[in-house]
Amino acid sequence: MTRRLLPLALTLPLLAGCDPQGLDLYSPKDARDYVRSCARAASDIMCRAMQPTLAAVSGPVSVLLPNMGDDDRRDAFAQFLAGRGTTLVTFRSDASLQAAFARANIFPVAQLRTGTLRTLDGTPHEVTCADQASGLGPECQIGLLGGVDHLHYRKPQADSLYATFPKTAGQLIFFPF
């Protein structure tokens, strides 16, 4: 009897110490839910900055977030802010800067389509979308950013979340504000 319980006795404490969000066992239901989930990471400044704007927007949204880890996003963002003469500390405490970033990287549409679309800040972006042969979802060229809708499998119940990547190395991984 003890032999059967030993694996269970060793596994339970391990599982109790794990956060299901950190294990990527959570599947977000829409873009807002994804942003809420990723904002739990202490280092994810972008998701935290988007939350108030997303809460204030009614209707569908397509959110752009860089396709990289939290620390890499933070470092790239810090470099961008330094070029503007500010810091992450200032950004974290300035609601207007956070809202400007969010509005520059959120489209008020459920899914991006080919054509000229405007982000919440009113900036027009040329968008060209095509289905991927791999089945990962539609891939779009959004100005100088590429992006794949990571919530395409939930359509039509969910908004869109585009994991972005630069067209060429060294470019921004998000839209400037």
Side-chain angles (χ1 to χ4, degrees):
M1 180 70 155
T2 322
R3 286 179 159 230
R4 281 198 222 157
L5 294 178
L6 185 59
L8 180 63
L10 294 174
T11 304
L12 287 176
L14 176 66
L15 290 176
C18 295
D19 178 85
Q21 299 293 325
L23 292 174
D24 286 336
L25 297 176
Y26 182 73
S27 180
K29 61 183 177 155
D30 59 25
R32 287 174 174 88
D33 191 34
Y34 180 93
V35 170
R36 270 191 304 274
S37 179
C38 85
R40 292 180 185 145
S43 60
D44 201 308
I45 191 168
M46 291 182 177
C47 287
R48 286 177 183 221
M50 285 187 170
Q51 283 188 294
T53 299
L54 283 172
V57 173
S58 61
V61 292
S62 286
V63 175
L64 306 181
L65 281 173
N67 189 28
M68 55 181 26
D70 298 347
D71 293 338
D72 293 331
R73 279 199 284 227
R74 184 196 59 229
D75 294 346
F77 202 64
Q79 185 176 2
F80 168 76
L81 291 172
R84 293 191 59 196
T86 191
T87 65
L88 287 173
V89 172
T90 301
F91 181 83
R92 283 187 174 113
S93 64
D94 189 334
S96 64
L97 276 177
Q98 293 175 29
F101 163 73
R103 288 190 310 267
N105 289 278
I106 299 172
F107 289 88
V109 296
Q111 189 171 4
L112 299 182
R113 305 235 185 261
T114 298
T116 302
L117 300 174
R118 294 182 182 274
T119 46
L120 291 176
D121 67 358
T123 304
H125 298 278
E126 289 301 317
V127 178
T128 305
C129 296
D131 287 335
Q132 279 190 329
S134 65
L136 291 176
E139 183 172 333
C140 297
Q141 189 64 43
I142 316 152
L144 295 177
L145 294 176
V148 177
D149 183 5
H150 278 234
L151 295 176
H152 77 282
Y153 65 94
R154 299 200 52 100
K155 299 295 180 247
Q157 297 90 356
D159 298 329
S160 298
L161 174 78
Y162 288 86
T164 61
F165 47 91
K167 191 173 185 177
T168 59
Q171 287 181 314
L172 280 179
I173 53 174
F174 52 87
F175 286 133
F177 54 97

